[in-house]
């Protein structure tokens, strides 16, 4: 089944893209298309206009600015995984990017698209929340703690465009993922970082999407060791339960993966 | 209708395509390059894998308009004259196919994989082919073919 017809627009700057969005009642931006096109094929989205962010200069690429790594929204997963700067400064982020989907998906999919989509089983939300990153849009900056807003939802306003993501470089960070064997999405993924503070973020698990495991953060702040979080767990009642795994399984994985991530950093 | 320019297997093509046309449909229906297969049409199987500017992509999950200006290589563009590409030859030698439906996508994915990492090992091949499904072979011979193809690509490069 083909995709329903739409008007295609390829703006060359952010203001033009925003204007094109506002001029149409029902528009969608397209970045890598690795989520949007499958969704359009299923007719779960039938936008009247598709606005391609691919023609906007300056939206892709990675740069170091002071103690932060700035990743452009249109940067492909494969380029994050291969970047010498990312591998040197936040190897856990490069590792995470290299675990997303498969090479073909990583060659097209972008960080901005993944974050705007906020799939509860996506990997980047764990990186952004677990590293305490900031999402930079065409009009403001949003801290990770304020950005994610439940399943497939964010605090982006209608038409707001992610421009880049700013990651503070941590002292140490590790990402552990238990991939769904068929889809490669995270059945559970946990990012642990130690920098200004300790952060533990879990994806794939929570019914409300990516979340911080504050009890573990507090224990690790006192004693950064796998032992310190032994016995700590999250409530199975708050976890996703589906045909792939019950809530108790996911809750167990959050603990196991968090301990593995910490152990990898000791 | 948007007009786009694609360089497909070295030949520039000026095409009028509907905005909602997928790259795979333009390759197969407009350009009659039917070596690129459609297995699932849901971004899972990799049968539709082609190279866009040298990188592997699932052409069922790319709008043709998104590829405007790009260099596209399909399975038809891999061999030079009557000589098969070393990766094609390796699939033949290792019986890396049964029905052959997944094969064009497997080979395109493999060539991109090896170009990226010439000294790839078995674990790398298995991880790197996660986006390509085969319903026949059980993958064993495909992996053997890719490893051998990787060596042959090195040799043919060294030999010029
Ligand atoms: C087979 C397969 C396996 C996958 N496996 C994984 C996996 O293991 N882990 C994982 O995390 N993901 C996985 N994905 C999803 C993949 O990472 C997508 O690339 C990603 O979710 C969306 O990025 P995109 O650039 O393709 O966005 P698109 O599909 O182009 O867009 C997605 C949504 O975001 C919006 N959007 C895009 N860019 C912006 C922006 N800059 N500002 C505002 N809104 C924007 C679009 O309007 C759209 O609503 C998989 C996908 C496939 C097809
Ligand atoms: S046909 Fe494109 S991934 Fe299956
Ligand atoms: S050889 Fe038949 S699907 Fe792979």
């Amino acid at each position: 089944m083909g995709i329903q017809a739409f008007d295609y627009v390829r703006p060359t700057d952010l203001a033009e893209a925003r204007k094109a969005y506002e001029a149409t009642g029902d528009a969608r931006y397209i970045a890598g298309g690795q989520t949007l096109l499958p969704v359009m094929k299923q007719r779960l989205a039938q936008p009247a206009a598709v606005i391609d962010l691919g023609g906007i200069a300056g939206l892709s690429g990675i740069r170091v600015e002071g103690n932060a790594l700035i990743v452009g929204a249109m940067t492909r997963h494969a380029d994050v995984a291969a970047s010498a700067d990312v591998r040197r400064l936040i190897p856990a982020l490069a590792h995470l990017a290299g675990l997303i989907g498969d090479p073909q998906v990583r060659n097209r999919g972008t960080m901005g698209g993944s974050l705007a989509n906020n799939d509860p089983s996506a990997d980047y939300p764990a990186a952004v929340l677990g590293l305490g990153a900031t999402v930079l849009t065409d009009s403001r900056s949003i801290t990770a703690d304020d950005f994610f807003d439940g399943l497939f939802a964010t605090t982006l306003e209608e038409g707001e465009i992610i421009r880049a993501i700013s990651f503070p470089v941590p002292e140490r960070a590790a990402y552990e993922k238990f991939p769904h064997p068929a889809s490669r999405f995270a059945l559970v993924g946990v990012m642990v970082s130690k920098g200004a503070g300790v952060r533990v973020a879990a994806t794939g698990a929570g019914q409300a999407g990516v979340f911080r495991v504050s009890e573990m953060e507090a224990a690790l702040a006192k004693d950064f060791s796998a032992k310190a979080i032994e016995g700590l767990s999250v409530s199975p009642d708050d976890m996703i339960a589906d045909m792939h795994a019950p809530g108790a399984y996911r809750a167990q994985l959050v603990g196991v993966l968090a301990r593995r991530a910490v152990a990898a950093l000791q | 209708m948007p007009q786009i320019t694609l360089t497909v297997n070295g030949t520039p093509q000026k095409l009028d395509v509907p905005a909602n046309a997928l790259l795979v449909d333009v390759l197969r229906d407009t350009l009659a390059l039917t070596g690129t297969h459609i297995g699932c049409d849901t971004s899972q199987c990799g049968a539709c894998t082609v190279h866009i500017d040298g990188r592997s992509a699932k052409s069922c999950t790319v709008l043709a308009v998104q590829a405007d200006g790009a260099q596209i290589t399909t399975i038809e563009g891999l061999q030079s004259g009557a000589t098969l590409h070393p990766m094609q030859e390796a699939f033949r030698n290792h019986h890396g196919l049964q029905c052959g439906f997944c094969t064009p996508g497997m080979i395109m994915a493999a060539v991109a994989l090896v170009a990226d990492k010439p000294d790839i090992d078995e674990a790398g091949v298995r991880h790197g082919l996660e986006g390509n499904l085969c319903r026949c072979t059980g993958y064993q011979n495909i992996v053997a073919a890719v490893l051998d193809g990787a060596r042959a690509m090195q040799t043919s490069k060294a030999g010029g």
Side-chain angles (χ1 to χ4, degrees):
Chain A
M1 186 170 71
I3 290 177
Q4 182 187 273
F6 53 79
D7 291 328
Y8 176 75
V9 194
R10 195 177 166 88
T12 53
D13 66 46
L14 286 168
E16 203 190 321
R18 191 75 184 252
K19 212 190 280 164
Y21 189 98
E22 269 145 28
T24 323
D26 176 22
R28 288 292 277 269
Y29 297 119
I30 190 166
Q34 300 302 289
T35 293
L36 184 62
L37 293 175
V39 164
M40 286 174 69
K41 284 185 188 181
Q42 291 175 289
R43 306 261 162 135
L44 294 173
Q46 307 190 24
V50 170
I51 303 167
D52 192 344
L53 301 179
I56 303 176
L59 276 192
S60 92
I62 296 162
R63 62 177 204 279
V64 184
E65 220 171 73
N67 193 38
L69 196 66
I70 318 274
V71 181
M74 287 295 288
T75 311
R76 317 271 181 195
H77 309 333
D79 294 329
V80 174
S83 156
D85 284 332
V86 180
R87 293 167 81 119
R88 182 169 49 90
L89 296 172
I90 318 184
L93 179 61
H95 171 69
L96 174 149
L99 295 175
I100 296 175
D102 53 56
Q104 293 95 318
V105 168
R106 294 196 288 276
N107 282 338
R108 303 289 306 167
T110 68
M111 187 179 286
S114 176
L115 292 174
N117 191 50
N118 192 21
D119 187 308
S121 300
D123 294 287
Y124 277 138
V128 166
L129 192 60
L131 292 164
T134 301
V135 177
L136 311 174
T137 75
D138 60 338
S139 54
R140 59 183 172 143
S141 46
I142 311 171
T143 62
D145 290 313
D146 290 334
F147 181 79
F148 302 104
D149 199 23
L151 302 187
F152 297 101
T154 68
T155 54
L156 285 174
E157 277 159 23
E158 193 61 36
E160 191 170 0
I161 303 169
I162 302 176
R163 204 159 46 74
I165 297 88
S166 172
F167 293 92
V169 175
E171 255 168 60
R172 294 177 273 175
Y175 182 65
E176 288 288 331
K177 174 180 183 178
F178 189 97
H180 183 284
S183 78
R184 318 312 303 171
F185 272 94
L187 200 60
V188 176
V190 178
M191 175 68 84
V192 175
S193 76
K194 190 170 184 293
V198 175
R199 282 181 167 254
V200 179
T203 189
Q207 276 178 23
V210 67
F211 66 97
R212 287 174 70 178
V213 192
S214 35
E215 220 188 328
M216 290 189 187
E217 292 179 352
L220 290 169
K222 282 200 207 100
D223 170 14
F224 196 82
S225 73
K227 222 173 154 50
I229 52 172
E230 231 168 77
L232 295 187
S233 60
V234 293
S235 167
D237 298 337
D238 299 335
M239 298 296 104
I240 300 171
D242 56 20
M243 63 189 277
H244 306 305
Y249 190 89
R250 283 187 165 90
Q252 168 78 7
L253 274 179
V254 171
V256 170
L257 297 177
R259 288 197 296 278
R260 279 190 196 164
V262 174
L265 294 174
Q266 277 181 283
Chain B
M1 221 187 276
Q3 191 183 65
I4 60 168
T5 307
L6 302 177
T7 303
V8 182
N9 299 330
T11 310
Q13 308 272 2
K14 256 199 177 18
L15 302 161
D16 293 312
V17 297
N20 60 347
L22 298 167
L23 179 60
V24 70
D25 293 326
V26 170
L27 293 173
R28 288 177 54 86
D29 301 341
T30 311
L31 299 175
L33 294 169
T34 53
T36 302
H37 292 166
I38 302 173
C40 63
D41 202 21
T42 58
S43 322
Q44 308 289 323
C45 76
C48 62
T49 301
V50 300
H51 296 176
I52 302 179
D53 292 329
R55 298 166 71 154
S56 62
K58 294 174 181 174
S59 60
C60 77
T61 315
V62 180
L63 296 172
V65 285
Q66 284 181 291
D68 188 15
Q71 301 269 348
I72 312 288
T73 308
T74 70
I75 190 74
E76 290 91 344
L78 224 46
Q79 69 189 66
S80 49
T83 312
L84 290 180
H85 185 280
M87 191 60 78
Q88 292 175 302
E89 197 59 49
F91 268 69
R92 184 154 97 174
N93 292 338
H94 287 269
H95 205 76
L97 60 145
Q98 286 180 27
C99 79
F101 195 86
C102 70
T103 314
M106 283 286 178
I107 291 178
M108 297 311 289
V111 169
L113 199 60
V114 172
D116 224 34
K117 200 168 185 305
D119 60 345
I120 196 159
D121 62 5
E122 179 179 338
V125 171
R126 289 189 185 274
H127 180 59
L129 290 181
E130 267 165 4
N132 293 78
L133 303 179
C134 175
R135 300 301 297 268
C136 304
T137 63
Y139 301 99
Q140 203 61 27
N141 290 354
I142 291 176
V143 174
V146 175
L147 287 169
D148 198 32
R151 282 189 289 271
M153 277 169 68
Q154 286 290 83
T155 318
S156 75
K157 218 203 230 146

